[in-house]
Amino acid sequence: MAEKRTDLALEARESFPRGHVEVQGVVLEKHYCEEGQAQITMVKIKDDAGSKAMKKPKGTYITIESELMLREEADREPLLLCICEQLEKMIGKMKQKSVLIVGLGNREVTSDSLGPKMTENLFITRHLEKELGSSFMEQNEYGCVSAIAPGVMAQTGIETSEILEGIIKKTKPDLVIAVDALAARSVKRLCTTVQITDTGISPGGGVGNRRRELSEKSLGVPVVAIGVPTVVDAGTIIGDHLEHVLEKQGYSEQEIEQFLSEILTGDTENVMVTPKNIDASVGRISRDLADVLNHCFQKKG
Amino acid sequence: MAEKRTDLALEARESFPRGHVEVQGVVLEKHYCEEGQAQITMVKIKDDAGSKAMKKPKGTYITIESELMLREEADREPLLLCICEQLEKMIGKMKQKSVLIVGLGNREVTSDSLGPKMTENLFITRHLEKELGSSFMEQNEYGCVSAIAPGVMAQTGIETSEILEGIIKKTKPDLVIAVDALAARSVKRLCTTVQITDTGISPGGGVGNRRRELSEKSLGVPVVAIGVPTVVDAGTIIGDHLEHVLEKQGYSEQEIEQFLSEILTGDTENVMVTPKNIDASVGRISRDLADVLNHCFQKKG
Amino acid sequence: MAEKRTDLALEARESFPRGHVEVQGVVLEKHYCEEGQAQITMVKIKDDAGSKAMKKPKGTYITIESELMLREEADREPLLLCICEQLEKMIGKMKQKSVLIVGLGNREVTSDSLGPKMTENLFITRHLEKELGSSFMEQNEYGCVSAIAPGVMAQTGIETSEILEGIIKKTKPDLVIAVDALAARSVKRLCTTVQITDTGISPGGGVGNRRRELSEKSLGVPVVAIGVPTVVDAGTIIGDHLEHVLEKQGYSEQEIEQFLSEILTGDTENVMVTPKNIDASVGRISRDLADVLNHCFQKKG
Amino acid sequence: MAEKRTDLALEARESFPRGHVEVQGVVLEKHYCEEGQAQITMVKIKDDAGSKAMKKPKGTYITIESELMLREEADREPLLLCICEQLEKMIGKMKQKSVLIVGLGNREVTSDSLGPKMTENLFITRHLEKELGSSFMEQNEYGCVSAIAPGVMAQTGIETSEILEGIIKKTKPDLVIAVDALAARSVKRLCTTVQITDTGISPGGGVGNRRRELSEKSLGVPVVAIGVPTVVDAGTIIGDHLEHVLEKQGYSEQEIEQFLSEILTGDTENVMVTPKNIDASVGRISRDLADVLNHCFQKKG
């Protein structure tokens, strides 16, 4: 089948035919919050069979979906607290920890700039300890937060993992949090979904195709990734629509695959589908995610 | 048929079935320049029949298509001279004229910001005449160029035509040139095509759906529009692909229309397809168009 | 005396020697709010004598000064309500009025971009009335707000007044509010002061030296100006410091003037003093002023 | 004496009273190029005595001063070639070398954003060798260029040297080139001067007060710094003018120092003097420096 890309474990799970109530090695749980206005889905990939079926690493993937993300500040606030809770659930109490927050992506490409823009709104404290002493930090209940937006391979010529390894060795954080723009399969999920995972970042994920994985294995400290889908590959959206039509026409899976491979040629490479208001959305979400992280790691953001 | 939108007269002409060698009231001419690396197409809509068939106002539409637009500066230069020539062909010798250049679109939406960004690189001279005298202008062979980027309805609450009418009454230019980002049907044409037309701007055209027409009729002076496609409506691209598949399957036009209307629902509204590097492309093309206009109206840009 | 420029009536008043308790034709009132954290000064220039002495047009100038402007959002909120009150005091109940908000200045020069950036955060409603009907507007208690950021002479080649006159004739607002970045004399006032005046904008004011006045006389509707100082002319700051030193040395006013004219040569032209964090400050204040205006003209911003 | 800061060795040398034709341990050479339109000064600090007198590390400082830097592209080109030559003179033939280019400074503060903006225009090639092979690199005469804009302490919480050390250990460049915005003493030098030095970056230098030194000693590879002054401390400019006046008045050095320390209080801290067109200047110079580096390290930039 022509590859239909998604960075969301939730969508990978949905892509199984409806009959597949259970996928071996994959656990799925859903619940609602904010009076039904936000849906929280936890996908646990428990073993290698599940990992292979889902084409994602083993681990926990929490997805928060809500149209509230598009609303005004006052409406978004309870949702942001809900994201804080989910994050805290995954990594435990955070105020004591020292954390390196990484804004992945290319700030010169709007749909890929979520991570770097987020870092601009973080409350950075690691250097304050040296300057003002640890009693100052405790009085203010400040955490130890450092951050970097390393840029992408095309900007630096250096693998992100090569940049981060040295920094981690020098600064010894307890935890890395990597924030990234993702590719989804469904247009509806763009800018309305947050995925939190303890698996780190997979190669080939993100809007700009990160190369090597960023994970506890490669970096030596736990890596929690927070992602928000900002693009759908044009090929993916066209393929999904075509498939839907052809299925209804009674074509076999093989025939459908044949059509798709004929249709989805180079034309749709390097093009992507974004919401019309992507500039404003990326600005808003990057500030929201910084607020969430400031709230988690500091007494007041 | 589900509406498949394009602002390019060239694409409107192409959308007629292959049998239609002639469209009543429409003349088509093609030639090449830059050793075959640029294709220039002139579509003339000569009468009401042609206008109705094409769903575009009567007038002349010149399209310059070339992959050179994506290349380095040295490669783009001959193409820019070719665009100058086509522009000069349409409006006659320009150095004597006084011109108001209008950058249409919303500078806060990357794909719609071509017009406003272009105005940032114009060489503006209208005010110099008052300050430095007309002999200074003649010595330097400066034209009389003014410019405005009026913003879009959602930013101003005012129709663009309402803003321009007053300015034109006050400043009395001989000519208005309106630069705008367009919607195309084909991904291949994004950022590789320039359309120059003497019909002004139609309602509903442009990336952000301009409301009222900007034309000699509405503004009282000739309006030449320069447009570059930066987006394809997601619905249009999906529809075109589906149609192609279904035609090959031997479905009737009516059946195809039926499928499309079922498929192209709200999901694809407000989403658009852009090249991955749209930020860089809009920056480059806006500077190129400013260079073209500076070259046309001033001795040296 | 070497010209020491300020756009703040408050500073013009302060520049009189200490003995001058009264300036003929000028009334001065001060009070505090926000528990002494904000100082409000009203300068009324009542007649031609006062106007000549102050080198400012007749009218009312309200200045709100507070270090709170530099603080976090929660700390700034009461101050913004206080600015709303002062604005309402000057122009009466505003929700019934239709208003054109003008963002003066050059968005490409950080210290002069306050006005244009403010317009990006306004809640624009004038076009909604046509689209959704007046009952929709009443239900939501929306005012009729339009806005424009016309750019500066060097960008457009057109006087701002020429641009605005036509728009005002077409759209017939009850009131124009012009927002502008100002030059102050004192570094302490940069980004901590808001001046509201019913005199419009004087020629030569603002960071970028606006040319013609924008006033009820020139535009035909009342013009309220809101300004925030973002720069001090380098010549002004040096001159003030020098004067201070020389006065303490017992030099006569004439001798001081002589020194200053020798010292303040071309070197300091075209340079200006700004706070180091001017980029962040202009971003924050432009959003704050938009919030103030949204609050004044709409039920909720 | 109240501290009068400059990052330019040239200005440190000039600050010696006119009688001091020779400063112990410091060699000064001047010549002109571009038909007298550019002045090149070499200051060599040869020993500890010179270093102490100049308050700068031992090494070579080349300064290129020219008003051509403010002109149009065609006029700037010969000057850029001249900067290339001086750079090549300092570091030898560069096309064979692998280089890490570091853009120092804070991209969110216009006057400090020169380094980060420069990196946006670099032609990065290090990753191409892995992807396309070394024969591809040789055919195209590409160097091995990587780059990073690490941000400043307030953004990252991490010392720049801590970020760079790890990257250098991983990527093993032959050379680091650090590009930074500088503070000058004279307004005339803003945006018209380039300093190239083999001493690296000193602590407390740059617009944003870099903390630790970046040098061969701290990083283990040679560090060449390229700097352009974009600001003058307000205190410095006022102090210089005051001193000039007071000297003419016949005051002693001690008396002058006394006055200055009384005058230059907190008022002028955190304020800086920049040219009015700093936004445009930083954009232009950052592209020019990227062009210079692209030209030095690649066959064609």
Side-chain angles (χ1 to χ4, degrees), chain A residues 108-110 187-188 241-242 244-245 248-249 251 259 262-263 267 270-276 279, chain B residues 108-110 187-188 238 241-242 244-245 248-249 251 259 262-263 267 270-276 279:
Chain A
E108 295 169 60
V109 172
T110 303
V187 164
K188 267 183 329 195
H241 274 84
L242 281 173
H244 188 65
V245 172
K248 279 175 67 179
Q249 298 302 314
Y251 286 88
F259 291 142
E262 282 169 23
I263 287 296
D267 233 46
N270 277 322
V271 294
M272 56 186 184
V273 176
T274 56
K276 278 205 177 128
D279 301 70
Chain B
E108 296 168 59
V109 172
T110 304
V187 163
K188 268 184 329 196
I238 294 165
H241 273 83
L242 280 172
H244 189 66
V245 172
K248 278 174 68 178
Q249 298 301 316
Y251 285 88
F259 290 143
E262 280 169 25
I263 287 298
D267 233 44
N270 276 323
V271 294
M272 56 185 184
V273 176
T274 56
K276 278 207 178 127
D279 301 70

Side-chain angles (χ1 to χ4, degrees), chain D residues 262-273:
Chain D
E262 280 169 26
I263 287 296
L264 297 176
T265 52
D267 232 44
T268 57
E269 257 172 46
N270 278 322
V271 295
M272 55 186 184
V273 176

